[in-house]
Amino acid sequence: MPESISKSSNQEETHHQSKFLSKYLFGALSILLLAFLSSTYISQNCLEFLKTKMFPKSNFVLPPLLEANQLHEILKEKNFDQNYRVIEAFFSDKFHQNFDQEHVPKAIYFDALHGADSNDYIPKNIPSVEKFEEYVGFLGISNEHHVIIYDRSENGFLVSGRAWYLFKMFGHEKVSILNGGLSFWKKSKFDLTNDLFSPTKTKFKANYNKNMIRNFEDIQNNIKTKEMVLIDSRESESFNKVHPEKGIKEHIPNSVNIPYSSLFDLENALLKNPSELKKLFENNDVDLNRPMIISCMFGVRSCTTAFAAHLSGAKSFSLYPGSWNEYHQKIKE
């Protein structure tokens, strides 16, 4: 090999090694500097500013439905804490002990009923804007974070769907659901931990979309106008049940039944893909271009139906939190 070419190759290799070492040396020094500043009296705002400059935010937007292997890779990103928050959703704080024993790394426990003003008509109501903002900020979730949600139900959507709906309704677009939840994460043999991740309290500002919630009066009006498609997510047995005295089926008039269980692939316990979900709606004569109101028994499973409609390209959807539980009580009054 000519001497000039050999020297050029050596110089190029040395240059690449130098760039590699400089990159990781800078990262190590940055971490040490942040650790030092965190232990001093420097303001939190100043510290966050320095983090932003040292570790730029990711511009990559995650899909609304996230697979287990995708989250597994995302957890390895060096800027994970700055760009993402993983939450395990459930109702009430009394199941926190299950979370404490094992959970997805970096996950935070999220009570999907925190701050909800529930009652006999709506036992699983939604929280006020102020209470949601306060709670989410307290958990260390800001408007800049992409929120990844999972739960412990069989398919991973029972409570995740409600949590997803809350974030969407309060104006947070960067939110995804982990397909299959904790169950499929375990089947995939990915890591679990009992380490508790407690990020610093931050500020979350909601932008409430009132059109994503409907009440009893809205339902009564829509029965007359038929402006929006009414979807009932209860299982077929409940939807088609006939009242023993009145002889009428126990569902809201003009409703279309798309059972919660029909959203899933029974073989792998995962949500069906978007094309299959779209076909499911079309086979039930649901026009995805029309606005829809989705209900179930308590306004929980219907949130996953809303998520499925979203994946299928629905233009407008809303939730009736009272669902059949409220409706059947109020029509008797």
Side-chain angles (χ1 to χ4, degrees):
M1 179 184 294
E3 185 178 349
S4 60
I5 296 178
S6 178
K7 284 183 178 180
S8 176
S9 298
N10 289 336
Q11 287 175 350
E12 186 176 349
E13 183 178 352
T14 302
H15 174 69
H16 285 305
Q17 290 176 346
S18 177
K19 283 182 67 177
F20 178 83
L21 290 173
S22 296
K23 176 182 176 181
Y24 287 95
L25 181 60
F26 174 76
L29 290 173
S30 298
I31 293 171
L32 289 172
L33 176 60
L34 287 174
F36 169 74
L37 292 175
S38 298
S39 64
T40 66
Y41 292 101
I42 189 170
S43 71
Q44 185 64 32
N45 288 338
C46 182
L47 189 59
E48 290 299 323
F49 174 78
L50 288 171
K51 286 181 181 179
T52 301
K53 294 301 180 184
M54 292 177 179
F55 305 106
K57 294 183 182 297
S58 171
N59 293 320
F60 179 70
V61 178
L62 299 181
L65 183 63
L66 199 67
E67 303 300 332
N69 62 328
Q70 291 176 302
L71 177 56
H72 179 65
E73 292 302 317
I74 291 168
L75 285 166
K76 299 175 184 178
E77 294 185 14
K78 66 176 182 179
N79 298 342
F80 179 87
D81 292 356
Q82 184 183 357
N83 295 324
Y84 307 101
R85 288 290 183 265
V86 179
I87 62 174
E88 178 178 314
F90 209 79
F91 292 128
S92 89
D93 202 46
K94 64 181 181 180
F95 294 97
H96 210 302
Q97 58 184 2
N98 296 332
F99 173 83
D100 290 344
Q101 291 173 4
E102 60 174 15
H103 51 261
V104 172
K106 295 286 186 177
I108 304 165
Y109 189 85
F110 180 86
D111 178 3
L113 280 181
H114 182 90
D117 185 18
S118 300
N119 52 61
D120 289 340
Y121 290 126
I122 314 176
K124 290 182 171 61
N125 210 342
I126 62 170
S128 67
V129 174
E130 295 75 19
K131 288 182 179 179
F132 188 79
E133 287 180 331
E134 181 183 11
Y135 181 54
V136 172
F138 174 78
L139 293 177
I141 303 171
S142 75
N143 296 85
E144 300 302 318
H145 290 115
H146 191 110
V147 179
I148 301 167
I149 311 168
Y150 75 89
D151 71 29
R152 292 173 180 257
S153 65
E154 182 181 0
N155 303 110
F157 282 86
L158 183 61
V159 190
S160 294
R162 168 58 80 92
W164 172 85
Y165 203 89
L166 289 177
F167 276 98
K168 292 285 286 186
M169 183 182 66
F170 287 119
H172 194 70
E173 293 298 324
K174 295 187 289 187
V175 56
S176 304
I177 297 180
L178 177 65
N179 201 3
L182 186 66
S183 177
F184 194 78
W185 181 266
K186 285 183 175 181
K187 288 180 183 177
S188 302
K189 307 296 183 183
F190 291 136
D191 290 343
L192 293 169
T193 184
N194 57 9
D195 293 338
L196 298 180
F197 176 55
S198 302
T200 305
K201 180 180 177 181
T202 187
K203 184 177 181 180
F204 180 89
K205 182 64 178 175
N207 183 19
Y208 176 52
N209 183 353
K210 64 179 182 180
N211 293 323
M212 289 182 71
I213 291 294
R214 305 294 172 182
N215 57 31
F216 176 76
E217 288 71 26
D218 294 326
I219 300 299
Q220 289 287 74
N221 182 61
N222 194 74
I223 290 172
K224 299 174 184 176
T225 65
K226 300 180 182 179
E227 178 185 353
M228 292 176 272
V229 181
L230 281 168
I231 297 177
D232 191 322
S233 300
R234 291 178 299 158
E235 296 307 307
S236 299
E237 295 79 5
S238 298
F239 180 83
N240 293 317
K241 185 178 179 180
V242 177
H243 192 283
E245 297 176 2
K246 297 181 179 180
I248 58 174
K249 291 183 179 180
E250 296 192 340
H251 59 250
I252 300 171
N254 306 326
S255 296
V256 176
N257 184 216
I258 300 183
Y260 173 79
S261 60
S262 68
L263 303 175
F264 303 97
D265 184 330
L266 298 181
E267 289 187 11
N268 56 28
L270 297 174
L271 192 72
K272 290 178 178 177
N273 64 53
S275 61
E276 291 174 316
L277 292 171
K278 185 177 181 180
K279 187 175 181 180
L280 176 64
F281 284 103
E282 291 174 345
N283 288 344
N284 283 280
D285 296 322
V286 174
D287 183 352
L288 293 168
N289 292 309
R290 286 184 61 194
M292 58 183 72
I293 303 174
I294 309 175
S295 71
C296 53
M297 186 66 194
F298 299 110
V300 175
R301 296 183 181 221
S302 45
C303 292
T304 300
T305 307
F307 180 73
H310 174 66
L311 291 181
S312 303
K315 304 300 181 184
S316 175
F317 48 84
S318 55
L319 173 71
Y320 175 29
S323 288
W324 180 249
N325 185 69
E326 178 186 52
Y327 186 84
H328 90 277
Q329 292 184 67
K330 286 195 172 182
I331 57 174
K332 294 177 182 178
E333 296 175 354

